[in-house]
Amino acid sequence: MSAISPLPSFKDLHISLQAGLPDLRTTVEQCLANIDQQKHLNAFVRIYAEEALAHAATIQQKAQNTHAGRLAGLIVGIKDMLCYKDHPLQASSKILEGFISQINATTVERLIHEDALIIGHQNCDEFGMGSSTENSIFGPVRNAINTSKVAGGSSGGSAVAVQAHMCHVALGTDTGGSVRQPAAFCGLIGLRPTYGRNSRYGMVAHASSFDTIGILANSIYDCAAVLEVIAGPDAYDSTTSQHPVDKYTTQLDFTKKTRVAYLKEAIDYTGLQPEIRSNTLETIETLKATGHHVEGVTLPLWEYILPTYYVLTAAEASSNLARFDGVRYGYRDPDAKHVTEAYIKTRTKGFGKEVQRRILLGNFVLTSSHYDDDFIQAQKVRRLITDSLKAMLSSYDFIILPTIPHTAFDLDCNTHDPMSMYWADIYTTLAAIAGVPAISIPIGYDDEGLPIGLQIIGNSFQEASLLGFSKHILEAMKA
Ligand code: GLN
């Protein structure tokens, strides 16, 4: 990464753009050069260079005429799960080969409306299923800190693009951890907002009652600036909330003394890497020393979190992915002689192994003989987990735990063992089950120099305090 030039910050760029300086084109060119020099990381699947340069000129012009949008100067990459009108979209899958979006995702539309500049689509696990960005038709993404390591997943390309100065921020999707987990592996901030805080319209569906669009950034400010623009109700997604959107960027100074709980099960988990445990405990001590009340609590249903997540998301995914049949979208097997054969061959060749595994698992738990014992049971356990987490959040302002039990692992070391890949999600699926917001922030490094993430869970629609508290922890850890 040494030859790579860091980008000027969005905040600085925005201010100087309005003062008529500097040339936005230069920063776009710098992003494009960084992308080009680091092709081996495989972060982008499509780069929209010409358009980005043209948009830079338009935004520059608008800024000179003093009416540029709130995100003028921000260069954004989007996960290959988000529709960008008139551009291809594949969810890193063969089955969507040749598909062109006819719409903008609402989040993308809102970014463009405020003059953010979209530079390209980023690599991810196929349909957002995975924890390492190795399940992609475009090949695996490499971590810029150590290229023999994974970037995390499923928004791995988005994380590496921000990490390696190819864009300021990225929009990823977080169904069960796919923004927070790669953020932790790459030393970034990764925010999963409250379910319903922003619209899922134009996001490729994975598991609809868990899916959210999250933000990967280098700074809390950038994260706040993007959330402020993309959050809020949307007529195209009836699950979006009417809850007012805060002016997050102006509420980042956090002075309150809080009540914080840490999950004892997470700290005692035998699979937790010792350096992550000690870093988390060190953060807890720092918080106590700065006047916060911090104590350990237990979550009795801890061991059911991961199975509940996988039963329910597989069921929802099997239903969502039924639409990819070779008739309506993208790839169709050319050798099929009749329609049933076309469905079978298209889906067999079009979906990768992990996606097929989820479809089979989802169909299995939805069959009449397993529906009550697996699917309905998991729904009930989801309610119990949600209730106990929300009860905890009524006594504490925040809950902290590691983002992931280990730092970035070697490429290819978990690809043949789906269970070990699923275990990587043990800490991130909790907030996803309950639909509450959660963030991962970088709090240190392990002995190999790989980043460690801390996860903070907050109350529904309290993203303003979650961002403020995160900034406060980052500053306290530096002091
Ligand atoms: N790793 C989890 C899974 O594979 C999370 C995925 C996600 O959040 N998109 O389901």
Side-chain angles (χ1 to χ4, degrees):
M1 272 174 78
S2 52
I4 301 304
S5 46
L7 305 176
S9 79
F10 156 60
K11 204 174 182 179
D12 291 347
L13 206 52
H14 186 74
I15 294 168
S16 46
L17 255 178
Q18 281 169 324
L21 290 161
D23 192 355
L24 182 56
R25 184 185 175 95
T26 311
T27 312
V28 175
E29 282 171 346
Q30 196 184 339
C31 290
L32 293 170
N34 288 349
I35 294 172
D36 193 56
Q37 281 176 51
Q38 301 174 100
K39 281 201 198 101
H40 59 286
L41 301 177
N42 207 13
F44 278 85
V45 298
R46 267 164 258 110
I47 302 145
Y48 307 127
E50 293 307 315
E51 283 173 49
L53 290 167
H55 286 156
T58 316
I59 295 164
Q60 185 89 39
Q61 192 61 48
K62 280 174 87 173
Q64 269 150 16
N65 298 339
T66 63
H67 60 263
R70 285 185 283 166
L71 297 180
L74 187 75
I75 299 167
V76 186
I78 54 177
K79 185 177 184 178
D80 196 25
M81 293 276 282
L82 296 170
C83 288
Y84 184 20
K85 194 169 189 268
D86 299 329
H87 294 77
L89 180 76
Q90 269 190 254
S92 291
S93 179
K94 180 176 174 64
I95 211 149
L96 275 170
E97 222 170 58
F99 175 74
I100 310 282
S101 299
Q102 292 172 317
I103 56 160
N104 276 331
T106 298
T107 47
V108 172
E109 177 79 31
R110 289 180 181 177
L111 290 180
I112 296 170
H113 185 256
E114 289 298 337
D115 287 329
L117 200 148
I118 312 287
I119 199 156
H121 266 116
Q122 292 154 336
N123 205 352
C124 59
D125 281 303
E126 186 179 4
F127 286 99
M129 296 176 192
S131 307
S132 63
T133 314
E134 293 173 290
N135 303 327
S136 164
I137 190 75
F138 303 111
V141 173
R142 290 173 184 275
N143 197 312
I145 288 185
N146 177 339
T147 54
S148 67
K149 305 286 179 185
V150 300
S154 63
S155 313
S158 303
V160 167
V162 177
Q163 179 194 36
H165 308 287
M166 301 171 182
C167 53
H168 287 118
V169 299
L171 288 190
T173 66
D174 190 311
T175 301
S178 284
V179 162
R180 290 162 285 155
Q181 199 252 33
F185 277 5
C186 295
L188 303 173
I189 289 145
L191 173 72
R192 173 196 168 94
T194 312
Y195 182 83
R197 180 63 303 183
N198 56 42
S199 168
R200 289 176 292 114
Y201 178 70
M203 165 188 172
V204 178
H206 168 177
S208 308
S209 76
F210 294 78
D211 290 343
T212 59
I213 296 171
I215 303 158
L216 291 129
N218 265 312
S219 78
I220 296 284
Y221 180 86
D222 287 2
C223 208
V226 170
L227 185 65
E228 208 163 273
V229 165
I230 64 172
D234 178 21
Y236 291 127
D237 176 0
S238 61
T239 64
T240 48
S241 168
Q242 301 293 324
H243 200 283
V245 177
D246 287 308
K247 187 104 177 68
Y248 304 108
T249 44
T250 60
Q251 295 180 35
L252 297 178
D253 289 330
F254 196 88
T255 47
K256 207 179 130 194
K257 296 298 171 216
T258 55
R259 287 179 58 78
V260 181
Y262 65 88
L263 291 186
K264 285 187 189 159
E265 287 84 358
I267 299 291
D268 295 342
Y269 174 55
T270 48
L272 179 61
Q273 191 175 323
E275 296 116 298
I276 301 184
R277 181 177 293 117
S278 56
N279 253 275
T280 310
L281 293 174
E282 200 186 308
T283 311
I284 290 170
E285 288 314 312
T286 307
L287 283 174
K288 285 182 183 166
T290 42
H292 301 279
H293 178 85
V294 191
E295 60 193 14
V297 293
T298 60
L299 190 75
L301 294 159
W302 174 257
E303 62 197 294
Y304 296 101
I305 295 171
L306 201 63
T308 301
Y309 170 81
Y310 272 95
V311 168
L312 294 178
T313 54
E316 293 188 26
S318 68
S319 162
N320 274 328
L321 271 57
R323 72 190 72 166
F324 302 109
D325 54 7
V327 177
R328 283 170 282 189
Y329 306 91
Y331 170 74
R332 178 185 302 170
D333 184 73
D335 303 326
K337 292 182 195 58
H338 51 80
V339 71
T340 312
E341 196 178 307
Y343 291 157
I344 296 170
K345 285 194 165 163
T346 300
R347 287 169 67 84
T348 306
K349 293 184 194 170
F351 288 132
K353 286 279 163 283
E354 181 57 30
V355 174
Q356 293 189 13
R357 187 178 294 121
R358 307 271 180 124
I359 292 172
L360 291 174
L361 177 63
N363 278 304
F364 177 80
V365 300
L366 290 172
T367 51
S368 55
S369 51
H370 288 271
Y371 189 78
D372 285 341
D373 288 348
D374 294 343
F375 183 69
I376 295 296
Q377 197 65 11
Q379 294 280 30
K380 290 178 182 168
V381 179
R382 182 181 195 182
R383 166 57 56 202
L384 293 175
I385 294 171
T386 303
D387 287 349
S388 55
L389 187 68
K390 289 200 169 166
M392 208 179 269
L393 283 165
S394 65
S395 314
Y396 297 93
D397 301 296
F398 303 105
I399 296 168
I400 57 176
L401 69 166
T403 307
I404 180 156
H406 40 73
T407 52
F409 46 85
D410 288 335
L411 281 149
D412 228 13
C413 81
N414 281 335
T415 39
H416 305 293
D417 181 2
M419 280 312 292
S420 62
M421 203 66 103
Y422 298 167
W423 278 110
D425 304 330
I426 182 156
Y427 297 145
T428 48
T429 42
L430 175 60
I433 285 177
V436 293
I439 192 168
S440 179
I441 59 169
I443 53 157
Y445 295 91
D446 72 0
D447 295 346
E448 273 189 274
L450 297 167
I452 293 174
L454 176 79
Q455 190 183 183
I456 311 158
I457 299 177
N459 267 298
S460 294
F461 302 106
Q462 301 301 310
E463 281 84 359
S465 62
L466 187 61
L467 289 164
F469 187 56
S470 301
K471 183 166 165 278
H472 167 72
I473 298 184
L474 287 169
E475 284 162 2
M477 293 298 283
K478 253 191 240 153

